[in-house]
Amino acid sequence: MRLALFDLDGTLVDRTAAFADAIAVLSHDHGYGPEIEQWLLSELADRAERHDFVRLCDAFNLDEDPDHLWRVYIDRMATAVTCRPEVFEALSRLKEAGWRIGVATNGASDIQRAKVRATGLADLIDGIAASGDIDVRKPDPRLFELAAARCGTQLTSSDWMCGDNPETDAVGGYNAGLRVIWVRDRPWPDGLTTPHHTVDDVTQAIEYLLTHSVE
């Protein structure tokens, strides 16, 4: 079986919109003022982990349980995050065409898996590897190898990695010996190896796999 690995945030799901909504709801529910809400928006913009809520409580002398706040944040993110229907349909076609589908994502294991379950992607994904699983982050090739193993296979040079981040997804894919599709959302950095294919949307990447990849 052919294998396609995908990034999660910014590729399969829209973390940016979900993040703003989740922080707004969490802040409202806990009675946080603008200062705390802005802190959360700033400090958790790129990624969030349990320890961030320890820092929050320390920074504002909050008498709250960081573990509880982390669980609330995960729940709010899972409620807010979405996978567009056209992405879901394209992945379904890829699955029906005999591909194994995996996710290689940076982020805490519990929150990344909550997003996958909440969006229904769990029904289409054969395996997921989050950086929190083994405490390594993309572009480390070990995360891609783990994703393949959880899909029941090993990486080969004919497998693909698709993601939006040049430094983590594209470089990581190359480091793991994969072919790379970049979902363009920023200028391509100077000095990085050019991706095998570039698209503006992940649905175009899936269409390319379905029509141009080698059996």
Side-chain angles (χ1 to χ4, degrees):
M1 273 191 171
R2 294 159 294 176
L3 173 67
L5 298 180
F6 293 88
D7 171 52
L8 185 62
D9 296 322
T11 301
L12 293 181
V13 305
D14 183 359
R15 179 188 185 270
T16 301
F19 170 67
D21 290 345
I23 294 300
V25 172
L26 186 152
S27 298
H28 176 270
D29 290 349
H30 287 78
Y32 294 156
E35 186 178 7
I36 293 180
E37 183 171 356
Q38 186 55 51
W39 188 96
L40 289 166
L41 288 170
S42 175
E43 296 296 315
L44 279 60
D46 293 328
R47 59 174 170 162
E49 298 179 346
R50 176 204 168 273
H51 185 69
D52 292 316
F53 291 90
V54 175
R55 296 194 299 115
L56 171 69
C57 292
D58 289 344
F60 294 95
N61 295 313
L62 300 178
D63 186 22
E64 297 187 75
D65 180 4
D67 286 327
H68 171 70
L69 290 175
W70 172 239
R71 290 192 297 271
V72 169
Y73 174 74
I74 291 174
D75 180 68
R76 299 297 181 267
M77 280 295 290
T79 299
V81 75
T82 58
C83 174
R84 291 180 290 127
E86 54 267 36
V87 175
F88 200 92
E89 191 274 336
L91 287 173
S92 298
R93 290 173 55 214
L94 193 65
K95 186 85 169 177
E96 291 168 1
W99 286 73
R100 292 181 183 178
I101 300 172
V103 167
T105 175
N106 286 341
S109 301
D110 43 5
I111 193 167
Q112 298 304 76
R113 284 178 168 76
K115 294 173 190 173
V116 167
R117 290 192 299 270
T119 55
L121 286 170
D123 296 331
L124 297 175
I125 291 171
D126 295 292
I128 176 172
S131 61
D133 295 341
I134 54 175
D135 200 27
V136 299
R137 296 177 59 80
K138 294 181 293 186
D140 192 312
R142 288 176 292 176
L143 194 65
F144 301 87
E145 293 166 359
L146 178 61
R150 289 184 170 166
C151 291
T153 188
Q154 295 180 331
L155 297 178
T156 72
S157 60
S158 61
D159 295 331
W160 290 83
M161 174 61 196
C162 176
D164 66 305
N165 190 306
E167 287 87 356
T168 59
D169 298 322
V171 171
Y174 278 120
N175 289 346
L178 300 172
R179 301 178 186 183
V180 172
I181 299 179
W182 176 45
V183 182
R184 176 171 34 215
D185 77 335
R186 69 197 78 181
W188 185 261
D190 293 336
L192 293 189
T193 304
T194 303
H196 293 89
H197 189 61
T198 299
V199 297
D200 293 316
D201 188 88
V202 68
T203 57
Q204 297 171 351
I206 296 170
E207 188 64 33
Y208 181 85
L209 293 178
L210 287 167
T211 57
H212 292 86
S213 58
V214 178
E215 291 286 347

